Amino acid sequence: MLPFAHPARHPSLGPLPPRCAPSRARARARLPNRARTRTRARARPPSAGAAETETASTSGGGGSVLSFLCPLLKLLGGGDPSQERNDVVEVTTSSISSLARLPWGSKVATTSGENTGSATSAPTLQLYEFEACPFCRRVREAMTELDLSAEVYPCPKGSRRHREMVKKIGGKEQFPLLVDASTGVTMYESGDIVNYLFRQYGQGRSPSSGLLESTIFTGWVPTLLRAGRGMTLWNKAGVVPSEKLELFSYENNSYARIVREALCELELPYVLQNVGEGSSKMDALLRISGSKQVPYLIDLNTGFQSGDYKKILSYLFQQYSIGS
């Protein structure tokens, strides 16, 4: 098991503007040129010829693979996700999931020096997805390889807010959905999204070998091994924070996966800071947390910061549940 940092509170990078958190005496550490626009790109419907390979990740239809698996996996998943879990089982299944997806989603496709441009330009990407979806996983892996940050809007089955947003933006409830407000592009279909991201932000590079093709073979492994964690909305989720949470993570990290599942089950939007091996944002994480270990969660709404995934889980389910 990787060690976890337990640092004293450090200044946060802070979420996207506009701010409504109370002012602080200390200045916050920031990534270069972190400013992002809240302006949403105008929705564009997907092309008529788009392949229907991702119906398994949509919410409707009795023929949907995930719709069939959802009740079964939920039964096998240990029930209430807010209750104490078997740490050995959690870490083991997540670690095997990471092995199944190696080498994708673990390191950036360029060195930090070569990829400085993507870190400093901070493209305004908004990703509507849910953690258990293999096609959404494919996009998150690509974002790790490209060292891209994004606003993530979790859309678990039973979502009360974000699935409606997806239908308003793109016209149908299908996942993943990417909105790039810096270019005005809106698109479904994970393969199209991955290719777009590499064309736009890959500095001439193509997706790593096997990234797209591997999903059909091993993309389902984390979904099955994790028994559908990050698939459905927790029945006590409901508290909406005024500011987005911020998560330092990379897609194929075993412990970060468990935290992202909880964020999805609570339908909590967050700013994803990808810090895979070679990330240009690693020094910023070190300044903030005192360690390069992930996950590291920052909540400006309460001042909570932690790099211990078990403490993060306990905090999230206590803080962001109905009646808390």
Side-chain angles (χ1 to χ4, degrees):
M1 182 183 300
L2 295 174
F4 291 107
H6 301 279
R9 288 182 182 174
H10 290 261
S12 167
L13 292 181
L16 302 176
R19 293 186 176 276
C20 56
S23 60
R24 290 172 172 77
R26 295 182 298 176
R28 297 188 180 97
R30 291 180 179 270
L31 293 175
N33 299 333
R34 193 59 206 292
R36 299 177 185 171
T37 177
R38 286 278 189 183
T39 305
R40 189 177 305 280
R42 184 177 180 180
R44 297 178 184 175
S47 61
E52 295 298 325
T53 57
E54 303 194 28
T55 53
S57 63
T58 63
S59 66
S64 167
V65 175
L66 286 184
S67 292
F68 171 76
L69 285 176
C70 186
L72 176 61
L73 291 176
K74 188 173 182 180
L75 178 65
L76 299 175
D80 191 338
S82 68
Q83 298 303 306
E84 185 176 356
R85 306 182 186 186
N86 186 316
D87 185 57
V88 174
V89 173
E90 290 286 296
V91 175
T92 299
T93 55
S94 189
S95 297
I96 297 174
S97 298
S98 293
L99 288 173
R101 292 304 297 160
L102 282 176
W104 304 288
S106 298
K107 59 183 180 180
V108 300
T110 62
T111 65
S112 296
E114 292 173 332
N115 208 38
T116 301
S118 67
T120 57
S121 60
T124 306
L125 299 174
Q126 300 162 355
L127 180 64
Y128 295 82
E129 52 90 64
F130 61 100
E131 180 66 26
C133 170
F135 303 106
C136 301
R137 184 172 297 117
R138 173 193 276 173
V139 173
R140 297 193 306 265
E141 289 170 347
M143 286 185 168
T144 294
E145 292 193 5
L146 290 169
D147 204 18
L148 295 173
S149 300
E151 293 180 355
V152 176
Y153 295 88
C155 302
K157 188 175 179 64
S159 166
R160 296 165 182 159
R161 298 181 296 275
H162 299 152
R163 290 201 172 208
E164 285 300 314
M165 292 170 64
V166 168
K167 287 194 289 186
K168 291 179 181 178
I169 292 170
K172 58 181 176 179
E173 199 171 310
Q174 180 174 308
F175 307 96
L177 172 68
L178 179 77
V179 177
D180 188 345
S182 65
T183 62
V185 167
T186 298
M187 62 171 59
Y188 292 107
E189 302 294 340
S190 65
D192 293 343
I193 293 173
V194 169
N195 286 321
Y196 165 78
L197 290 174
F198 272 87
R199 285 196 309 271
Q200 189 68 27
Y201 303 110
Q203 300 176 338
R205 293 177 178 262
S206 299
S208 60
S209 178
L211 172 62
L212 294 172
E213 296 80 4
S214 64
T215 300
I216 193 172
F217 299 107
T218 62
W220 295 91
V221 174
T223 303
L224 297 172
L225 284 177
R226 295 296 298 149
R229 294 284 195 195
M231 180 182 292
T232 59
L233 183 70
W234 185 46
N235 60 7
K236 293 183 180 179
V239 177
V240 183
S242 58
E243 297 212 37
K244 292 181 178 66
L245 281 63
E246 188 162 19
L247 178 69
F248 285 84
S249 169
Y250 63 86
E251 176 56 31
N252 209 25
N253 181 273
S254 303
Y255 304 100
R257 174 183 292 108
I258 298 172
V259 171
R260 293 195 310 267
E261 290 168 350
L263 289 167
C264 185
E265 290 167 338
L266 288 162
E267 200 182 7
L268 291 172
Y270 60 98
V271 176
L272 173 64
Q273 300 286 0
N274 275 305
V275 284
E277 181 183 345
S279 172
S280 59
K281 297 185 284 292
M282 192 62 76
D283 288 341
L285 172 61
L286 181 61
R287 289 195 304 270
I288 292 168
S289 70
S291 170
K292 293 184 178 181
Q293 299 294 331
V294 298
Y296 192 80
L297 183 77
I298 300 169
D299 187 351
L300 283 182
N301 299 280
T302 63
F304 175 86
Q305 299 185 41
S306 180
D308 184 321
Y309 87 95
K310 289 188 285 187
K311 289 184 178 180
I312 294 173
L313 286 183
S314 177
Y315 167 79
L316 289 175
F317 283 106
Q318 288 180 20
Q319 182 67 29
Y320 293 108
S321 62
I322 296 174
S324 64

